[in-house]
């Protein structure tokens, strides 16, 4: 298991969002997290990704405890081992598609030339070869989400976290984006955790876990793992 959560609880003030959630995800697996609006899916994702700290419980990533790590180490881990795609791409609108994809590499220690070469390769893999020089504010929703996927995968993350990645797209575009995301993740061996309301999006996953009232049903969570 690459990622594992045990007994995760988290409240916002007096509103409980997660209650003793258990989850186990195998390396290379594509897991859809489903459930009603407000059930705690985003909170679960944020806790697994080390963006939020749970009030109690444990998160393990490749045998390392994530929730008790120092902020500096957790930030470093997020930068190097995790990729993120959100509902609205959160691209930098004034920058070009190529700039946006190169950005995480430039923030690391990649040389400019190499960063832009790799950004170009990834844009090509997502069918965006012609749009590298275009500002992302000028792209369609589907194109922008493909740029966001390129940016999330270009650093070679172990785990890609996606929160409603198709939520702002029409269903056909959403399916196409999801197909690309899953295809590339499989080629790269990337583990994917995708929060979605959409059963068609979830149908691309290897399995679904359901969140209801902050409780997670995951039959794999009890498995003995390293
Ligand atoms: P989902 O992703 O399934 O829609 P969330 O994890 O966003 O669920 O939210 C779970 C619960 O926590 C909901 O009741 C929601 O209203 C509440 N919640 C989420 N974020 C906040 C916040 N920043 N402040 C207060 N309550 C929040
Ligand atoms: P989603 O269901 O896609 O996660 P939401 O509309 O539930 O989106 O939440 C959008 C943002 O608002 C999130 O940052 C979430 O933490 C915050 N939020 C959600 N519910 C509440 C709430 N009851 N009070 C304050 N902030 C909230």
């Amino acid at each position: 298991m690459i990622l594992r959560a045990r007994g995760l609880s988290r409240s916002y003030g007096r509103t409980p969002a997660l209650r003793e959630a258990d989850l186990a995800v195998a390396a290379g697996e594509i897991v859809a997290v489903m459930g009603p609006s407000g059930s705690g899916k985003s909170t679960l994702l944020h806790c697994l990704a080390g963006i939020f700290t749970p009030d109690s419980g444990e998160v393990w990533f490749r045998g390392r405890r994530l929730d008790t790590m120092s902020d500096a180490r957790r930030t470093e881990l997020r930068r190097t081992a995790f990729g993120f795609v959100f509902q609205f791409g959160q691209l930098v609108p004034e920058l070009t598609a190529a700039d946006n994809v190169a950005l995480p590499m430039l923030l690391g220690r990649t040389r400019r030339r190499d960063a832009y070469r790799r950004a170009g390769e990834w844009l090509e893999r997502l069918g965006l070869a012609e749009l590298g020089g275009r500002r992302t504010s000028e792209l369609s929703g589907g194109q922008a989400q493909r740029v966001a996927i390129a940016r999330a995968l270009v650093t070679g993350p172990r785990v890609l976290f996606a929160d409603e990645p198709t939520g702002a797209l029409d269903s056909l575009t959403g399916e196409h984006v999801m197909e690309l995301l899953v295809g590339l993740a499989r080629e790269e061996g990337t583990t994917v955790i995708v929060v979605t309301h959409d059963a068609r999006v979830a149908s691309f996953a290897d399995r679904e876990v359901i969140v209801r009232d902050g409780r997670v049903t995951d039959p794999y969570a009890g498995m003995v793992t390293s």
Side-chain angles (χ1 to χ4, degrees):
M1 295 287 161
I2 191 168
L3 196 63
R4 205 184 154 96
R6 221 179 333 220
L8 281 190
S9 295
R10 158 95 196 199
S11 299
Y12 298 96
R14 295 165 76 176
T15 312
L18 275 183
R19 309 170 198 240
E20 303 270 315
D22 295 330
L23 182 72
V25 179
E29 202 177 19
I30 297 177
V31 176
V33 177
M34 297 196 73
S37 187
S39 58
K41 303 182 296 297
S42 290
T43 305
L44 175 66
L45 191 88
H46 284 77
C47 287
L48 292 173
I51 296 171
F52 291 169
T53 318
D55 299 329
S56 58
E58 302 173 359
V59 180
W60 295 81
F61 169 67
R62 301 180 80 210
R64 291 162 73 193
R65 182 99 183 253
L66 196 68
D67 55 294
T68 52
M69 233 175 232
S70 70
D71 284 347
R73 287 186 64 193
R74 197 164 48 226
T75 301
E76 175 66 10
L77 190 72
R78 274 207 305 274
R79 201 175 64 72
T80 55
F82 295 167
F84 297 92
V85 178
F86 298 102
Q87 180 166 0
F88 302 102
Q90 299 189 342
L91 301 169
V92 184
E94 304 80 21
L95 296 182
T96 66
D99 293 333
N100 271 279
V101 179
L103 203 56
M105 294 182 281
L106 295 172
L107 295 175
R109 284 186 201 83
T110 309
R111 283 162 38 206
R112 213 177 154 74
R113 236 183 107 131
D114 295 333
Y116 279 92
R117 183 180 45 73
R118 272 168 62 195
E121 289 164 6
W122 274 89
L123 287 170
E124 195 170 338
R125 289 175 79 175
L126 284 147
L128 297 167
E130 315 300 314
L131 298 178
R134 198 75 72 80
R135 286 183 190 200
T136 52
S137 55
E138 296 164 17
L139 301 179
S140 71
Q143 289 167 343
Q145 275 314 59
R146 284 185 279 155
V147 173
I149 291 168
R151 185 184 56 179
L153 288 173
V154 74
T155 51
R158 296 275 186 163
V159 184
L160 178 68
F161 293 96
D163 195 349
E164 298 282 5
T166 65
L169 307 175
D170 65 73
S171 64
L172 201 65
T173 308
E175 274 185 61
H176 180 55
V177 163
M178 199 55 201
E179 196 173 351
L180 281 167
L181 190 160
V182 167
L184 288 168
R186 293 215 198 275
E187 279 173 35
E188 301 292 310
T190 312
T191 305
V192 178
I193 302 182
V194 55
V195 166
T196 183
H197 289 90
D198 185 338
R200 271 181 301 190
V201 167
S203 71
F204 288 96
D206 299 319
R207 68 187 175 96
E208 294 173 13
V209 300
I210 312 293
V211 186
R212 266 198 196 88
D213 281 334
R215 296 179 208 282
V216 178
T217 314
D218 177 15
Y220 291 9
M223 283 168 49
V224 178
T225 55
S226 55

